[in-house]
Every structure is written in C-alpha cells, then in structure tokens.
Amino acid sequence: MSDAALAQRALVTGGAGFIGSNLVRFLLGRGLDVLNVDALTYAGNLDSLADVAADTRYRFARADVRDRAALERLFAEFDPQLVFHLAAESHVDRSIVAPEDFVTTNVVGTFTLLEVARRAWGDDGARRFVHVSTDEVYGSLGETGRFSETTRYDPSSPYSASKAGADHLAHAYHRTYGLPVIVTNCSNNYGPRQFPEKLIPLMITRAMAGEPLPVYGAGDNVRDWLYVDDHCEALWAVAQRGKPGRDYNIGGDEERRNLEIVQLVCAELERVRPASDNAALGGRAYRELITFVEDRPGHDYRYAIDAARLRDELGFSPRESFESGLRKTIGWYLDNARWVERATSGAYRDWIEDNYGARLDR
Ligand code: NAD
Ligand code: DAU
C-alpha cells in the first residue's frame, strides 16, 4: 500500500493501555481518525489520553473484545480500514496468580475480533488487521542466539501461551479465509504511561517513594528493550508495507540484565532527584533499596530479537537508545506525579501486597 492509498480510519483495541495510548496519539498525529475500543480493566487508564480526548478525530468506546455484538456494532458504525489489536491481559505475574482472564481475553477475545473483522470486511484485501503480539511466545533463550520469525513457539507462562494461541488463530484466519492479518512479535517496551506493575515504572515509582526494589532471583535475566515510540513506528511500517499473512519480529537490539536496569534507574534518579533531597529515602541511597526476592515461577532466562526482516523488508530500525529512552521515561514519571498517584491508588495496592508481600517479608 502506498502512503496515498493509506487508510484513514483505524480501530485500536486496548487503546487505554500503555502501548495503545501511545499508539492512539501516534496515529492521530499522522492524521488518521481513531476509534479506541477498550474495556478499561485495571490496566486501562483514560488519564493517559486526557490530552487527545477532545480531538474530533478521536472516539472512545468502552467495550470488551469478548463482546461480539458490541464489536459488530462498532465495525458497522466506524467501518475501520485498519485494526491494531492490542487489547490483552499483559502481565506475566498476574497470569501466574489468575490465568483465566488471560485465556478469555487473549484467546477468545482475539478470536471474536477476527471473526467480526472477517464478516465485516468480506474479501476486501486492502484492509489490514495488525495483531500485536510478543516475543515471549518463543520461550526462553540461553546465553546465545536470537528469536527469528521461524523460531518454534514454546511459551512458558499462561500469558505467553494465551498470546501464542491468539497468534495461531490470527494466522489461521489469513490462511483459511484470506483475512489480511499481519502478526508482530515485539520485545519488552518501556516509556511514558506504562502501568507501574512492569519492571521499569515499578522501580522508578518505588524508588521515588523509598520502597524496596524487588529484583527476582539474582537479577541476571536478560530482556531486549524497545522504547514505546519506536514500537508505534514499527507497527505503522507494518500496517503500511507489511505483507498479509507474515510475521514481523520487532526489537530494540538493547539487551540488558534486570539488575543492570534497576541500577541504571537508581543512578539516573540520583542524578536528577538526589536521594539527599528526597525525604522518603530517609538518608539512604536509591541503590540501597535493591532487594533480591523469590524468583518468578517458570521465569524465562533471556529474550533477544533478530529483527532483520523488519529492517530489510520494511526499512525500519529503532531510533531511541536504551540510555536516552530511560532518561526520557524517568523524566516523564517525575513530571507526571498526579498520573502516578492515581494509577497506584486503589486496587493497585492489593496487587503489590499479593505479589510482593510475602516475598519482601522473608
Ligand atoms: P496494558 O496491560 O498496558 O494494556 C492493555 C489494555 O487492554 C488496557 O487498556 C485494558 O483495559 C485493555 N483490555 C484488557 N482486556 C480487555 C478486554 N477484554 N476487552 C477490551 N480491552 C481490554 O498492555 P500493553 O503493555 O500496552 O500491551 C499491549 C499489547 O501489546 C498486548 O497485546 C501485549 O501482549 C502486547 N505486547 C506488550 C509488550 C510490552 O512490553 N508491554 C511487548 C510486546 C507485546
Ligand atoms: O517480552 C515482551 C513482554 O514483556 C510482553 O509481552 C509483556 O506484556 C510484558 O509484561 C513484558 O513481560 P516481562 O515479564 O518480560 O516484563 P516485566 O516488566 O514483568 O519483567 C521484566 C523482567 O524483570 C523479568 O525478567 C522479571 C523481572 N522483574 C519484574 C518485576 C515486575 C523483577 O525482577 N522484579 C519485578 O518486580
């Protein structure tokens, strides 16, 4: 598809979540009309969209991707040319504690959306359904090697297994019905508006509050990190120039051990908001908050992405380095104390107690 032939109406599911809210903003910035379909679970946050809520090209519909009738209505009204499917239960630790919603939202919800799109779009091959998935479907790497699009699926957690199931359905809808589906498998995102249950915002917000920084195991697990704006650019490249039926791996080429990340967060906070000026630290340095806790069950050791296909076929490479992205991210959390305060009140506190209470008491 050339730029000129590009779609004007994009339906984003999960647009009130971390990546979704950044993607909605990105698409509006490119002149598209955007319909955000989100059930507003604990992870959905309309505060993240406050600055675009009045944009006449933006519309929000509170709906569940498992609700077929609601999706049919929205497809009929909005007639999207593009779908970016991000709605999901996304947190691995929660999938270990309570897997059911992961199966119903990630597998059944994806099925429902695929089915509604297939019936609404018929055989219109100019539409695009971008199914946003994860590198976790490939399982765990040792010290060497990288995931490519041909790596065998081998998911470890209920979360990654549910995403793998959804990916298979997405491919099946292309092969069986010719639905123009593209699947993307991306590494760990970070950046503004990420719910503070994930490693980086959890560490930033807890360090600022002078609370222990829970590092699982020895902190030597490795993840590949991608700044969220780069993920949005990659999804846009895929929607414009990707080939239906194909997978694209998306990565940052920025592998880091977890402990190194937590130490970098502490060092950057010390630079921009010295612990000596932060009463919550009570005279301690940020790094003194680092606490090694019981490991995550089934914890994948290492993820690394071979993104050659995205680079060679679609000309995409990430712009942000990990160090500059982390600085921007920390700056955003420091500048948005009200967002953090609202996101970390209420049910969030129950999650912190459930997941970390016993681990930190040991
Ligand atoms: P998130 O948890 O921040 O947001 C998920 C959003 O989906 C929320 O707004 C939530 O309200 C909504 N949602 C959940 N269940 C729903 C349902 N049944 N119906 C409608 N909406 C529902 O997630 P995220 O980190 O922004 O991830 C978005 C997508 O990208 C997910 O599909 C995830 O698997 C994938 N992904 C995430 C990462 C990452 O590092 N965060 C990396 C690769 C892929
Ligand atoms: O790889 C892509 C995936 O990245 C996405 O599909 C998921 O939606 C997203 O949540 C993320 O999964 P991870 O499990 O890698 O992210 P998380 O931030 O939960 O953890 C990152 C690493 O940090 C992991 O090795 C576990 C570790 N960790 C995490 C938390 C929350 C800790 O050591 N302590 C913690 O408190």
Side-chain angles (χ1 to χ4, degrees):
M1 242 190 315
S2 72
D3 260 34
L6 263 183
Q8 296 305 306
R9 293 182 303 280
L11 186 158
V12 177
T13 71
F18 160 50
I19 302 171
S21 60
N22 286 288
L23 181 65
V24 164
R25 195 172 278 97
F26 175 95
L27 296 171
L28 288 169
R30 269 155 191 72
L32 274 81
D33 289 344
V34 179
L35 171 62
N36 172 10
V37 178
D38 196 299
L40 296 182
T41 68
Y42 79 92
N45 185 348
L46 290 180
D47 287 354
S48 297
L49 292 156
D51 54 328
V52 299
D55 191 322
T56 51
R57 286 167 306 117
Y58 171 70
R59 186 181 149 202
F60 173 70
R62 184 170 189 173
D64 195 302
V65 290
R66 295 164 289 192
D67 181 345
R68 181 169 177 154
L71 295 181
E72 283 171 348
R73 224 172 20 250
L74 291 166
F75 265 69
E77 283 167 25
F78 187 70
D79 188 23
Q81 293 142 315
L82 272 176
V83 168
F84 291 94
H85 176 39
L86 288 89
E89 290 292 339
S90 71
H91 196 46
V92 174
D93 292 323
R94 288 184 192 255
S95 83
I96 295 167
V97 175
E100 188 165 342
D101 278 345
F102 286 75
V103 176
T104 60
T105 284
N106 299 0
V107 184
V108 180
T110 300
F111 157 71
T112 309
L113 190 65
L114 287 163
E115 186 63 10
V116 170
R118 156 172 107 83
R119 291 179 186 277
W121 287 354
D123 58 5
D124 184 347
R127 315 261 175 157
R128 290 292 180 272
F129 186 119
V130 181
H131 171 66
V132 178
S133 189
T134 171
D135 60 357
E136 298 201 9
V137 296
Y138 299 121
S140 184
L141 290 166
E143 291 298 342
T144 58
R146 293 193 291 174
F147 300 132
S148 79
E149 289 83 355
T150 56
T151 302
R152 190 173 67 92
Y153 273 33
D154 187 21
S156 303
S157 70
Y159 163 69
S160 49
S162 68
K163 292 294 290 188
D167 293 9
H168 290 317
L169 281 166
H171 282 300
Y173 268 67
H174 175 71
R175 286 191 208 160
T176 307
Y177 305 112
L179 190 73
V181 179
I182 305 177
V183 176
T184 61
N185 297 91
C186 186
S187 61
N188 286 60
N189 283 219
Y190 68 102
R193 307 174 190 86
Q194 186 168 31
F195 191 68
E197 63 186 353
K198 306 286 198 283
L199 180 72
I200 290 179
L202 182 88
M203 295 300 161
I204 298 170
T205 53
R206 289 183 67 90
M208 283 303 293
E211 291 164 343
L213 306 180
V215 173
Y216 295 163
D220 55 3
N221 300 67
V222 177
R223 296 289 181 268
D224 169 55
W225 293 90
L226 182 71
Y227 192 65
V228 66
D229 289 354
D230 279 324
H231 191 184
C232 294
E233 288 278 3
L235 293 175
W236 183 234
V238 165
Q240 288 178 94
R241 301 189 296 281
K243 192 163 168 273
R246 222 150 155 68
D247 295 281
Y248 293 89
N249 279 355
I250 308 174
D253 210 8
E254 292 280 15
E255 285 182 53
R256 295 287 186 284
R257 290 194 192 281
N258 293 338
L259 182 57
E260 182 191 347
I261 289 181
V262 180
Q263 287 166 337
L264 283 171
V265 167
C266 291
E268 175 63 7
L269 281 177
E270 189 56 50
R271 193 180 72 81
V272 293
R273 195 68 56 91
S276 53
D277 297 344
N278 183 341
L281 270 289
R284 292 162 301 172
Y286 289 111
R287 65 177 182 284
E288 289 178 63
L289 301 173
I290 294 175
T291 309
F292 294 94
V293 301
E294 191 183 332
D295 209 347
R296 170 187 283 176
H299 196 174
D300 287 336
Y301 174 61
R302 175 171 165 263
Y303 303 143
I305 291 277
D306 174 355
R309 177 177 288 177
L310 190 66
R311 187 187 61 235
D312 299 344
E313 285 185 18
L314 307 187
F316 172 83
S317 298
R319 291 183 198 181
E320 201 71 53
S321 74
F322 185 69
E323 279 66 24
S324 66
L326 188 64
R327 273 198 300 280
K328 281 192 194 173
T329 303
I330 290 176
W332 188 89
Y333 281 89
L334 295 184
D335 291 345
N336 288 276
R338 177 88 184 120
W339 184 99
V340 171
E341 194 186 307
R342 283 166 56 103
T344 56
S345 60
Y348 177 80
R349 301 212 176 120
D350 299 336
W351 166 249
I352 293 294
E353 180 51 34
D354 286 352
N355 195 46
Y356 299 101
R359 278 171 155 142
L360 287 167
D361 283 347
R362 284 154 70 92

